[in-house]
Amino acid sequence: MARLPFSLLLFLFIFPLLLDVGVSKTLKRDVKALNEIKASLGWRVLYTWVGDDPCGDGDLPPWSGVTCSAQGDYRVVTELEVYAVSIVGPFPVAVTNLLDLTRLDLHNNKLTGPIPSQIGRLKRLSILNLRWNKLQDVIPPEIGELKSLTHLYLSFNNFKGEIPKELANLPELRYLYLQENRFSGRIPAELGNLKSLRHMDLGNNHLVGTIRELIRIEGCFPALRNLYLNNNYLTGGIPSQLANLANLEILYLSQNKMSGVVPPTLAHIPRLTYFLYFPSNMQVMVLSTMRSSNTLYGNCTWIITNFQGELQMPFTNTPF
């Protein structure tokens, strides 16, 4: 019998090993973390999270809501989306062991308790969506360590305390949703240093202070388009310097304790298309001031209400 060439024998020996290497294994750290999360979330995800490997093992698909990517010889979990399944209980701390996460979406559940300080470990996270839960306590300052974060959704929870100034340490942040919580104190002026911030919604909280304090930093909010500060306890008037926010498109200031006239400079914000203001003093002064100025033009919808909160007069695409 003819002998097989040594090279062929070597190939036949190594080939099965190559096949085994070709199927990347999921990093043990992530497997352990997902199993801990599975145990904490309970039966609502058990029926879709089957098998030993969250990223799939060839015979079984990846767990629902789990997205994995290859990293060297292993697969790592890069996205976790488990939303609108009525998860009950505290925020699963094991999530913070998924160090390669870029997206974490647990919105529209019934999570309670605080966000753990370990959240700062997720250095690659770009989207954090925890809105529509029952989360409580203060926002941990460690959230300012998420340098890649672009979208932060914490609205419709029960957060309290002050808005942490550490949010100003997020250089890539574009969207900040903190409305419908119980935040108190002043809005950190440091947020104005966020060069990429386009949308900021702080409405329906217990915030105090003035807009003048918020925009005191020169060149603040250079990219801001939408600013919602409605339903708080802000005082003072509208400073004319607000017109320096040249990219503003929506300005929502209703239901505060502000007073005074609308400065004519606001009409020169080129992109402003919607302005809602609810001052606490008599409205006739505001309306007469706007009517007497020949500079208030533009495509802006100006809605000004009286102190009872009823619509008094809308102006759409109309020079005053």
Side-chain angles (χ1 to χ4, degrees), residues 168 170-171 188-197 217-222:
L170 304 175
E190 291 85 353
L191 296 181
N193 291 321
L194 294 172
K195 304 300 183 183
S196 301
L197 191 63
I217 298 176
E218 185 176 356
C220 63
F221 298 109

Side-chain angles (χ1 to χ4, degrees), residues 4-161:
L4 294 174
F6 176 77
S7 58
L8 181 58
L9 289 173
L10 184 63
F11 174 78
L12 293 175
F13 175 76
I14 294 178
F15 183 68
L17 299 178
L18 293 175
L19 288 177
D20 185 62
V21 171
V23 179
S24 298
K25 300 296 184 182
T26 303
L27 198 64
K28 289 183 179 180
R29 177 203 66 199
D30 289 4
V31 174
K32 180 181 178 182
L34 262 297
N35 276 290
E36 290 179 7
I37 295 169
K38 178 180 178 179
S40 67
L41 297 185
W43 64 269
R44 293 186 182 276
V45 295
L46 289 179
Y47 71 97
T48 58
W49 286 16
V50 295
D52 297 326
D53 193 334
C55 297
D57 58 7
D59 296 325
L60 293 172
W63 292 1
S64 176
V66 176
T67 300
C68 302
S69 300
Q71 189 177 93
D73 296 332
Y74 293 92
R75 292 178 297 182
V76 295
V77 177
T78 54
E79 298 183 10
L80 179 61
E81 300 175 274
V82 183
Y83 53 83
V85 291
S86 297
I87 298 170
V88 178
F91 183 97
V93 179
V95 165
T96 63
N97 292 324
L98 299 171
L99 301 184
D100 293 287
L101 275 186
T102 60
R103 177 192 292 265
L104 175 59
D105 189 345
L106 302 176
H107 83 272
N108 199 10
N109 286 296
K110 297 180 181 179
L111 294 174
T112 57
I115 297 176
S117 60
Q118 297 95 316
I119 195 74
R121 303 178 65 203
L122 304 181
K123 307 298 185 184
R124 300 185 180 183
L125 200 63
S126 61
I127 298 176
L128 177 58
N129 189 353
L130 301 175
R131 60 186 172 185
W132 289 105
N133 276 286
K134 297 183 179 182
L135 295 167
Q136 303 163 319
D137 213 341
V138 300
I139 297 179
E142 288 82 3
I143 209 165
E145 299 174 11
L146 307 179
K147 304 299 184 181
S148 299
L149 205 63
T150 60
H151 297 64
L152 179 57
Y153 304 96
L154 300 180
S155 50
F156 297 94
N157 279 285
N158 294 314
F159 292 114
K160 63 180 181 179

Side-chain angles (χ1 to χ4, degrees), residues 235-246:
T235 55
I238 301 177
S240 60
Q241 294 87 344
L242 194 59
N244 293 333
L245 307 188

Side-chain angles (χ1 to χ4, degrees), residues 236-254:
I238 301 177
S240 60
Q241 294 87 344
L242 194 59
N244 293 333
L245 307 188
N247 288 306
L248 268 187
E249 298 176 1
I250 297 175
L251 179 58
Y252 198 1
L253 303 176
S254 65

